Amino acid sequence: MLFENGYIKVRQLQPEDKHLLVKWLSNPSVLEFYEGRDNSFDLEKVNKKFYHRENGIVRCVIEYEGVSIGYIQIYQVNETTSSIDNYDEEETTFGMNQFIGETEYWNRGIGTLLVKSMLEYLIEKKQATRVIMDSQTTNLRAISCYEKCGFKKIRLLPNHEFHEGKYRDCWLIEYKKSSL
């Protein structure tokens, strides 16, 4: 387990979680914001993308009140893990991506609790000085959540992510340790 904070627990992805990932990543409501509705996952695709990969990404499941509800991954930003390359090597920069796969848990403040808790973990346990994400400009609910947690929009990344048949603009957002 990475950490527990109140009702939320984040633990490393296990082989038995693959069926949850298939369920979440074949749901059009989730795919609208993560991976794209034209990019549904089956068991083979989940195994290929989430398992047996040594690329510096820590893959985890989010539990809320004992129920597995979503996915989060963290990674130290470097040329292997991120295409965003303008960070000072003197700093410890982490990236993260997440989604709540159980849609009945949306709009309940759980995402905010998750992001704040992960920020604390990265700063306290991994000595992160900066955390970045690249959220599509149209994902207003996620951006609002991140801004509530102290992230700031740094710059627009035009045509940054291929999603549902077209390249989409993303905001590079950043949280600096001094924001605590």
Side-chain angles (χ1 to χ4, degrees):
M1 178 171 51
L2 255 59
F3 66 82
E4 190 168 353
N5 184 3
Y7 296 111
I8 205 159
K9 184 189 327 185
V10 173
R11 61 171 176 78
Q12 290 212 319
L13 189 66
Q14 300 297 313
E16 58 271 18
D17 296 324
K18 62 181 124 193
H19 299 289
L20 287 170
L21 289 169
V22 170
K23 174 186 173 191
W24 298 332
L25 293 173
S26 60
N27 179 339
S29 295
V30 174
L31 290 170
E32 179 180 357
F33 302 102
Y34 197 92
E35 295 291 338
R37 290 169 287 201
D38 59 348
N39 193 20
S40 188
F41 280 64
D42 58 17
L43 198 52
E44 181 181 344
K45 198 169 178 179
V46 162
N47 280 325
K48 185 176 179 183
K49 180 158 182 160
F50 294 93
Y51 293 92
H52 315 295
R53 298 180 72 189
E54 298 299 322
N55 57 2
I57 297 175
V58 179
R59 296 170 175 83
C60 300
V61 167
I62 305 154
E63 293 183 1
Y64 185 77
E65 296 182 328
V67 177
S68 297
I69 65 162
Y71 173 82
I72 188 166
Q73 63 185 26
I74 57 171
Y75 49 91
Q76 191 160 356
V77 173
N78 58 46
E79 69 240 4
T80 304
T81 60
S82 178
S83 63
I84 298 168
D85 59 4
N86 64 333
Y87 282 91
D88 187 342
E89 291 185 24
E90 301 293 311
E91 295 184 311
T92 304
T93 302
F94 273 81
M96 60 190 234
N97 310 92
Q98 60 279 317
F99 65 84
I100 295 177
E102 299 294 337
T103 57
E104 65 269 21
Y105 289 85
W106 288 7
N107 301 312
R108 292 176 47 183
I110 297 167
T112 301
L113 176 60
L114 170 69
V115 172
K116 284 181 177 177
S117 300
M118 183 56 80
L119 284 171
E120 283 180 31
Y121 170 80
L122 290 172
I123 289 166
E124 292 174 14
K125 302 292 188 203
K126 298 293 185 180
Q127 288 71 51
T129 53
R130 187 182 296 244
V131 179
I132 63 170
M133 291 189 275
D134 55 350
S135 186
Q136 287 185 29
T137 59
T138 56
N139 194 346
L140 302 179
R141 186 174 64 234
I143 292 168
S144 173
C145 168
Y146 305 149
E147 288 177 332
K148 278 191 257 180
C149 295
F151 281 85
K152 306 278 186 241
K153 293 175 185 167
I154 299 303
R155 74 173 187 270
L156 188 65
L157 302 170
N159 301 314
H160 182 69
E161 184 175 295
F162 192 73
H163 185 85
E164 297 187 343
K166 22 196 271 206
Y167 283 95
R168 309 289 174 134
D169 294 346
C170 292
W171 281 111
L172 174 60
I173 61 172
E174 170 184 270
Y175 181 93
K176 287 187 181 180
K177 182 179 177 182
S178 59
S179 302
L180 270 179

